[in-house]
Amino acid sequence: MLEAINLHKSYRRDAVSVSVLRGVDLAVREGEFLSVIGASGSGKSTLLHLLGALDTPDTGEVRFEGRRVDTLPARDRERLRNQSVGFVFQFYHLLPELTALENVLMPAMISRGILRWLGTRGAVRKQAMDLLDRVGLSHRLHHRPRELSGGELQRASIARALIMNPKVLLADEPTGNLDEGTGAGILTLLRGLHSDGLTIVMVTHNLELTLSTDRVVRLAAGRVETPSNPSLRLLSPAC
């Protein structure tokens, strides 16, 4: 479903160019739950941003369902992100002035013109309420982010990521700001989504979280590292 081919990516800090990815190859199968691990600065989040068309590589290719997407015009990449990719971030990125329900509705509103939105908003609102119920927030529909706990914020962001029925969910440290118990609840929710057939790529520092995923790859110094510890079930990118 999703493929990275020899990805290179650098960023500038003042006058210095910092190389983050140095030739990453990775293939994600449809229906797979893949974990990406590695030390801070190894390029995990950068890789996720490239896979989700939030950014473009300096060199290399990103392919989604066989189609190269990193060279698409900006409008087409925006459409891909909106309609086919769900994002879950460590810091939630909910709009503070909107309620939980309004935040979940936002991607659907963006995807429609005014007339189409007016014609479909009832059905989409019902879908958003059902999603919030599924993640355990039916009693928090009209609460704003400042009124929600960390776990509730992340559950709301997961519901928002699902409103467009994405083909793949990209989760960047989804439990990074949560205590152990709350993080376990988020992982249980992700496992349930995977059981329903959703493809998930999750970046995490927590090795315990990887035990519930199908496959684990490690990034080190901007490259996919060939694994040597079978207890982590680490597989090569070609597997």
Side-chain angles (χ1 to χ4, degrees):
M1 172 176 282
L2 196 56
E3 188 175 12
I5 304 171
N6 195 27
L7 292 186
H8 290 255
K9 184 67 178 179
S10 298
Y11 295 101
R12 296 202 66 83
R13 293 179 182 172
D14 298 324
V16 179
S17 177
V18 179
S19 181
V20 181
L21 297 181
R22 300 167 179 156
V24 169
D25 293 294
L26 181 68
V28 183
R29 297 183 294 267
E30 184 176 359
E32 184 175 26
F33 193 163
L34 173 68
S35 295
V36 180
I37 63 172
S40 295
S42 60
K44 302 185 304 299
S45 294
T46 297
L47 174 60
L48 211 64
H49 292 171
L50 296 180
L51 291 175
L54 282 172
D55 201 353
T56 56
D58 297 334
T59 61
E61 299 181 14
V62 178
R63 293 185 174 273
F64 186 84
E65 296 184 321
R67 177 193 188 195
R68 186 170 181 180
V69 298
D70 59 286
T71 56
L72 290 175
R75 184 177 295 274
D76 291 337
R77 286 189 288 113
E78 291 167 2
R79 186 177 298 110
L80 173 74
R81 291 195 302 267
N82 177 259
Q83 298 181 359
S84 298
V85 184
F87 293 94
V88 178
F89 301 100
Q90 179 178 356
F91 296 103
Y92 322 124
H93 296 311
L94 298 174
L95 297 176
E97 66 274 16
L98 302 184
T99 65
L101 178 59
E102 290 166 343
N103 268 286
V104 173
L105 287 170
M106 185 56 63
M109 295 176 66
I110 290 172
S111 72
R112 293 160 167 82
I114 294 177
L115 292 179
R116 186 179 171 212
W117 171 247
L118 292 176
T120 61
R121 61 181 175 179
V124 178
R125 181 182 174 88
K126 173 65 165 55
Q127 180 188 358
M129 293 173 68
D130 288 344
L131 283 171
L132 285 165
D133 181 54
R134 177 171 184 177
V135 301
L137 290 181
S138 58
H139 61 305
R140 294 286 200 234
L141 299 180
H142 305 296
H143 288 68
R144 289 179 169 78
R146 67 176 180 274
E147 301 170 308
L148 302 176
S149 68
E152 289 172 337
L153 289 167
Q154 195 59 289
R155 288 173 181 274
S157 72
I158 291 172
R160 178 187 59 189
L162 298 174
I163 189 66
M164 295 297 292
N165 298 310
K167 296 179 179 180
V168 61
L169 183 71
L170 304 180
D172 191 357
E173 296 283 0
T175 65
N177 277 348
L178 306 176
D179 61 69
E180 184 177 350
T182 304
I186 295 298
L187 182 59
T188 298
L189 176 58
L190 293 177
R191 283 202 303 260
L193 295 170
H194 174 243
S195 295
D196 291 343
L198 183 62
T199 304
I200 302 176
V201 181
M202 176 178 69
V203 160
T204 182
H205 282 97
N206 189 338
L207 293 182
E208 290 186 7
L209 298 185
T210 69
L211 299 177
S212 298
T213 63
D214 297 330
R215 183 164 60 107
V216 186
V217 298
R218 186 196 302 273
L219 285 185
R223 297 183 178 91
V224 173
E225 184 180 72
T226 301
S228 59
N229 186 348
S231 67
L232 292 178
R233 301 178 296 109
L234 298 174
L235 304 180
S236 69
C239 292

